[in-house]
Amino acid sequence: LWIDDQRRVRIYHNSEGHGGSGNLSAGQWYHLAYSYTANAANGYLYIDGTLTATISVPTGTPADVTVDIGRRTDGAPDSYCDGMVDEIRVWDVGRSQAEIQATRLSEVVSTAPDLRAYWRFNEGTGSTAVDVSANGNDGSLIGNAVFVGESAPIAAQESGRALQLNGSGDYA
């Protein structure tokens, strides 16, 4: 997922850019979710728990996936996010709209079934984004990405922190 220069949420799936939806306002938190099931012809984009786009995508599951938070991997000048990110969850299954709505405003248990990676960005300092799932997918902060003392309105947060990205070469 990324937000383009017109503040639309876009999908980058299996190394291909796809259309998205929404006109996001600056300075406001949003919950973004993308759900896809292997070998399905469609992916589903949700903004704040509401289905906003059904996107035709190639079928199949990539063998090895690199997750870049805050940038696209194509190297285009608008590849980097200028904003904050609080919580990234990667699931091994396509999540239903009901499941997305039920957990979008709260932290989930780090041992939840099918949870493959979970970055809360509550570290506060350092250059490692710790994966709190049982899978150990820790990430590195690149460029000027830093942890800041702000957070999205998520219930029961440990420390209320987020990841700040400045849009010019930083990501995790």
Side-chain angles (χ1 to χ4, degrees), residues 6 8 14 43 45 51 63 71 79-80 82 104 113 143 148 168:
Q6 295 175 19
R8 294 175 301 186
N14 284 356
L45 174 64
L51 178 64
R71 79 165 187 160
S79 294
Y80 296 93
D82 183 5
R104 73 181 188 89
V148 295
S168 61

Side-chain angles (χ1 to χ4, degrees), residues 74-156:
D74 64 4
D78 64 345
S79 294
Y80 296 93
C81 174
D82 183 5
M84 287 187 270
V85 177
D86 191 10
E87 294 220 353
I88 301 278
R89 304 169 191 168
V90 177
W91 299 88
D92 205 21
V93 295
R95 307 268 290 165
S96 70
Q97 184 171 10
E99 290 170 318
I100 290 167
Q101 289 173 340
T103 60
R104 73 181 188 89
L105 296 177
S106 61
E107 291 182 341
V108 297
V109 177
S110 62
T111 57
D114 301 314
L115 184 63
R116 302 298 299 153
Y118 187 13
W119 300 280
R120 292 181 179 158
F121 305 119
N122 289 341
E123 289 81 354
T125 61
S127 60
T128 301
V130 176
D131 173 14
V132 298
S133 79
N135 300 302
N137 296 304
D138 294 350
S140 298
L141 275 57
I142 308 297
N144 295 315
V146 295
F147 300 108
V148 295
E150 284 190 56
S151 69
I154 298 173

